[in-house]
Amino acid sequence: MPSNKSVSDAPIVQFTNCRILRDHQLQREDLWVREGKILNPEKLFFDEKGSADVQLDCKDSIIAPGFIDVQINGGFGVDFSLATDDFKSGIDLVSQKILSHGVTSFCPTLVTSPPSVYHQVLPQISVRNGGAHGAGILGAHLEGPFISKEKKGAHPEHCLRTFEAGAFQDLLATYGSLDCVQIVTLAPEMRRSSEVIQELTKRGICVSLGHSVANLSQAEEAVQHGATFITHLFNAMLPFHHRDPGIVGLLTSDKIPAGRRVFYGMISDGIHTNPAALRIAHRAHPKGLVLVTDAIAGMGLAPGRHTLGQQVVEIDGLNTYIAGTKTLSGSVATMDTCVRHFQEATGCSVETALEAASLHPAQLLGIEQRKGTLNYDSDADFLMLNDNLYVQATFIAGEEVWRQDVLDM
């Protein structure tokens, strides 16, 4: 069948012999791509009378949407919470390296820092599409400094702040700008937090609850004002109590506004959350689970001392602690590892594990029309994986940006 280029001169690529994750199922069909978008083959055949210019045999691989990491503090020696002269080259390095983990978009995350750090770093983060240069940047995730002293975790206490009379103005003064900000983590029990949540939500910024001693009614009130996410569930919050389950209770709360879904991040690295806790959360609220790495500068490096913002952290095997303590501080897990561990720990389907790292974070950020699915007209950001969920190749906008070296297999 001759190719009809009446609609576009761009080449059409047909990925064959694969199982595509679409509509929550692995389906044995081909994937068609043109100009960085997933193409509807029926329209191509019947409206354009077109056909593929290139066919690629996927050798029975799984094709899944690219992973989206909404909480990553750095990696490969780069710390997003440090204001350095070469910050841009650092963020470029991380975005390039995480392609091998299947991450095609991410939110560079800053932990609690002095205002001067936000003022220097945030103007250097710009939202951009992914490509051969690296994963796309969706905007910054600011974790703190408006969090609880009691549940500060690895965040430096001297940098913590509260909302004063100006509330939202305090936040603006601290960060300097919200231009590239996608997510803000705060403690909802703080005085005046409700007005801050409303103002952030009005600006299209996702508000996440975390590092908090909030009770359930405070958490529910925050959700009613617009909060939609929970930062690393179970970590840095009050433990579940049957009389007041705290933030954890949002997973089964009946006070969530109609038509709204609360999402929650989980660090599925085998360290931060016991597999039983992972199973409890997943069974209670499967559609809200978002896998995050919470990776720090030491990810991809040898054990030893590294930084997390203002703190020195020590990597011991897969554990990362504030130096000299047993306080966990981020992880060194990669996103593909988290997906595999999640599937193994919960016994969930392959589809469910993959969607927790792709569809759910896209839904959280309200970008599921473009990212996180392989629906027609969405961005052609996808992965080829084997049956054990090891990434074989990463594609952004339909172009191969990373491939597993055969010698490494």
Side-chain angles (χ1 to χ4, degrees), residues 41 74 103 139 146 151 244-245 261 329 349 386 409:
V103 177
F146 301 98
K151 291 292 177 187
D244 190 336
R261 186 189 306 178
S329 53
S349 67
N386 65 19
M409 294 293 274

Side-chain angles (χ1 to χ4, degrees), residues 2 6 13 20 28 43 46-47 99 108 124 126 145 147 180 237 248 267 275 288 320 332 357 381 386 400:
S6 60
V13 182
I20 301 175
R28 192 162 281 288
K43 280 190 181 171
F46 298 116
D47 298 354
L99 295 174
Q124 299 188 71
S126 45
I147 58 171
C180 69
M237 60 187 61
V248 177
I267 309 166
T320 60
V332 287
D381 297 355
N386 65 19
E400 183 181 292

Side-chain angles (χ1 to χ4, degrees), residues 18-22 25-27 29-31 63 374:
C18 52
R19 290 158 291 153
I20 301 175
L21 177 55
R22 187 177 278 151
Q25 294 289 320
L26 285 179
Q27 305 184 13
E29 54 185 80
D30 295 349
L31 185 77
I63 291 192
L374 298 177

Side-chain angles (χ1 to χ4, degrees), residues 217-239:
S217 64
Q218 289 168 326
E220 287 170 336
E221 191 184 334
V223 170
Q224 285 151 12
H225 284 115
T228 52
F229 195 38
I230 303 170
T231 296
H232 44 53
L233 186 79
F234 297 125
N235 296 114
M237 60 187 61
L238 290 177

Side-chain angles (χ1 to χ4, degrees), residues 101-144:
H101 308 157
V103 177
T104 53
S105 304
F106 70 110
C107 294
T109 304
L110 279 72
V111 295
T112 294
S113 302
S116 59
V117 169
Y118 297 115
H119 295 187
Q120 280 176 271
V121 169
L122 290 181
Q124 299 188 71
I125 297 176
S126 45
V127 174
R128 67 182 187 206
N129 291 326
H133 59 274
I137 296 174
L138 299 170
H141 177 171
L142 305 182
E143 188 188 359

Side-chain angles (χ1 to χ4, degrees), residues 72-387:
I72 170 172
N73 309 290
F76 315 100
V78 176
D79 184 342
F80 298 146
S81 303
L82 285 185
T84 56
D85 294 338
D86 59 350
F87 182 86
K88 281 193 170 159
S89 58
I91 210 164
D92 289 348
L93 174 74
V94 174
S95 63
Q96 174 69 52
K97 293 272 203 180
I98 57 179
L99 295 174
S100 66
H101 308 157
V103 177
T104 53
S105 304
F106 70 110
C107 294
T109 304
L110 279 72
V111 295
T112 294
S113 302
S116 59
V117 169
Y118 297 115
H119 295 187
Q120 280 176 271
V121 169
L122 290 181
Q124 299 188 71
I125 297 176
S126 45
V127 174
R128 67 182 187 206
N129 291 326
H133 59 274
I137 296 174
L138 299 170
H141 177 171
L142 305 182
E143 188 188 359
F146 301 98
I147 58 171
S148 156
K149 198 187 292 187
E150 291 87 348
K151 291 292 177 187
K152 66 183 187 298
H155 293 238
E157 189 171 325
H158 69 277
C159 295
L160 299 183
R161 300 174 81 86
T162 55
F163 297 121
E164 301 307 325
F168 189 67
Q169 292 310 314
D170 296 338
L171 178 138
L172 273 180
T174 300
Y175 295 146
S177 163
L178 293 171
D179 289 350
C180 69
V181 175
Q182 181 71 256
I183 305 174
V184 171
T185 293
L186 52 77
E189 70 275 14
M190 280 194 168
R191 218 162 48 86
R192 314 192 78 110
S193 66
S194 293
E195 56 193 270
V196 172
I197 292 169
Q198 286 171 307
E199 286 294 335
L200 288 169
T201 306
K202 225 186 276 179
R203 288 162 170 75
I205 293 170
C206 164
V207 175
S208 188
L209 311 179
H211 288 277
S212 161
V213 291
N215 60 33
L216 179 56
S217 64
Q218 289 168 326
E220 287 170 336
E221 191 184 334
V223 170
Q224 285 151 12
H225 284 115
T228 52
F229 195 38
I230 303 170
T231 296
H232 44 53
L233 186 79
F234 297 125
N235 296 114
M237 60 187 61
L238 290 177
F240 178 88
H241 189 283
H242 56 285
R243 277 194 289 280
D244 190 336
I247 290 177
V248 177
L250 287 175
L251 271 59
T252 54
S253 167
D254 56 2
K255 302 276 195 313
I256 307 299
R260 287 266 299 283
R261 186 189 306 178
V262 173
F263 293 88
Y264 58 96
M266 294 213 79
I267 309 166
S268 169
D269 61 354
I271 306 253
H272 279 76
T273 315
N274 185 285
L278 206 50
R279 288 191 285 275
I280 287 170
H282 177 246
R283 288 173 195 175
H285 185 27
K287 287 186 163 49
L289 195 146
V290 172
L291 292 177
V292 298
T293 60
D294 199 18
I296 64 166
M299 176 181 66
L301 301 180
R305 291 200 161 201
H306 302 281
T307 64
L308 177 59
Q310 310 295 304
Q311 311 266 42
V312 175
V313 297
E314 201 143 11
I315 298 176
D316 176 13
L318 290 176
N319 294 289
T320 60
Y321 301 114
I322 294 179
T325 76
K326 286 297 176 191
T327 300
L328 283 175
S329 53
S331 85
V332 287
T334 60
M335 184 56 93
D336 53 326
T337 307
C338 290
V339 170
R340 290 190 295 271
H341 180 262
F342 171 59
Q343 202 232 341
E344 194 183 319
T346 61
C348 71
S349 67
V350 163
E351 292 94 332
T352 296
L354 293 168
E355 286 186 343
S358 54
L359 175 63
H360 295 177
Q363 290 171 329
L364 164 72
L365 300 178
I367 57 172
E368 70 272 26
Q369 300 309 312
R370 298 185 287 121
K371 309 273 186 198
T373 76
L374 298 177
N375 294 344
Y376 303 138
D377 297 324
S378 63
D379 294 351
D381 297 355
F382 58 89
L383 314 173
M384 284 185 194
L385 307 106
N386 65 19
D387 285 353

